[in-house]
Amino acid sequence: MVSAKKTKILLLSDTHSYMDDRILEFASGVDVVLHAGDMGAHEGMDKLEAASKQLVGVYGNIDDHTMRLRFPLHQKFKIGGMKIWMTHIGGYPPKYNLRVRETIQKEQPDVFICGHSHILKVVNDPKIQCLHMNPGAAGQHGFHKVRTMLRFEIVQLDPEKKGRIENLEVIELGNRGQLR
């Protein structure tokens, strides 16, 4: 009998150079941290990387040339047999951003992750059988009222088959402007 493989994931975006101890505490309790862009300063990302077992990130529209050397525009990878595509600006189903629209239809990832809007949203795209995830914004800069992240597990019961997302939860870090 094969036991299930569980990968705990923290998904955040739009930190805009803000990295507090609560974010780092959540990061230290998962297997993989995914950052969907607009990271800002390297110091915050250095702290996040040090707190994480594994950090996967993409740069966003506010990130400078040095951050763009450190992280790519797109990350395409598998966790638990699930195809994941992460980029900063992606749009929402069915109105994906023009720069990803054709590729997402062709490649049909199981999970499509983006940031940019500062709006937390998790929605299924039934047309391509893809779960779209945007964790909102974990930083202090922007128009969002509440700082948010997502935490979930990818559970793979059979190594020959793709896994599934379980235990998806929204983490609220307090109101923007409220320091903890």
Side-chain angles (χ1 to χ4, degrees):
M1 184 167 138
V2 178
S3 62
K5 181 182 178 196
K6 291 184 180 185
T7 305
K8 294 180 182 179
I9 299 169
L10 179 68
L11 171 59
L12 69 158
S13 183
D14 296 277
T15 48
H16 292 263
S17 300
Y18 184 78
M19 192 64 58
D20 66 15
D21 290 341
R22 290 197 60 218
I23 294 172
L24 299 174
E25 184 179 319
F26 280 108
S28 69
V30 298
D31 301 308
V32 180
V33 175
L34 303 177
H35 195 301
D38 277 2
M39 301 162 179
H42 285 277
E43 293 81 11
M45 292 307 294
D46 292 343
K47 289 178 184 178
L48 185 61
E49 191 166 36
S52 307
K53 292 177 186 167
Q54 181 180 3
L55 173 64
V56 179
V58 294
Y59 71 77
N61 56 295
I62 67 119
D63 294 315
D64 68 12
H65 70 285
T66 61
M67 194 63 79
R68 291 171 189 230
L69 292 172
R70 185 172 176 181
F71 296 98
L73 176 62
H74 302 281
Q75 290 271 21
K76 295 178 183 179
F77 52 94
K78 283 188 175 186
I79 296 177
M82 297 186 81
K83 292 189 311 185
I84 300 170
W85 178 8
M86 182 169 61
T87 194
H88 184 62
I89 301 174
Y92 294 101
K95 296 181 180 181
Y96 293 103
N97 184 278
L98 186 59
R99 68 185 177 95
V100 301
R101 190 175 301 150
E102 186 178 319
T103 306
I104 200 167
Q105 298 294 328
K106 184 172 60 176
E107 293 184 8
Q108 297 187 355
D110 299 306
V111 181
F112 181 67
I113 296 169
C114 64
H116 186 63
S117 71
H118 291 223
I119 300 169
L120 185 143
K121 193 171 195 177
V122 177
V123 62
N124 188 47
D125 183 345
K127 187 173 180 183
I128 61 170
Q129 297 301 304
C130 176
L131 183 64
H132 177 280
M133 302 176 93
N134 185 322
Q140 293 286 357
H141 177 76
F143 65 89
H144 57 286
K145 292 186 180 354
V146 178
R147 299 170 45 235
T148 57
M149 305 185 297
L150 293 171
R151 183 170 54 185
F152 57 96
E153 294 176 344
I154 293 180
V155 179
Q156 187 177 25
L157 299 174
D158 182 339
E160 303 299 318
K161 297 180 182 174
K162 72 178 177 184
R164 65 177 183 256
I165 291 179
E166 293 185 357
N167 301 317
L168 174 63
E169 61 183 311
V170 173
I171 298 170
E172 292 188 356
L173 297 165
N175 293 335
R176 182 178 55 81
Q178 174 186 8
L179 302 177
R180 289 188 179 201

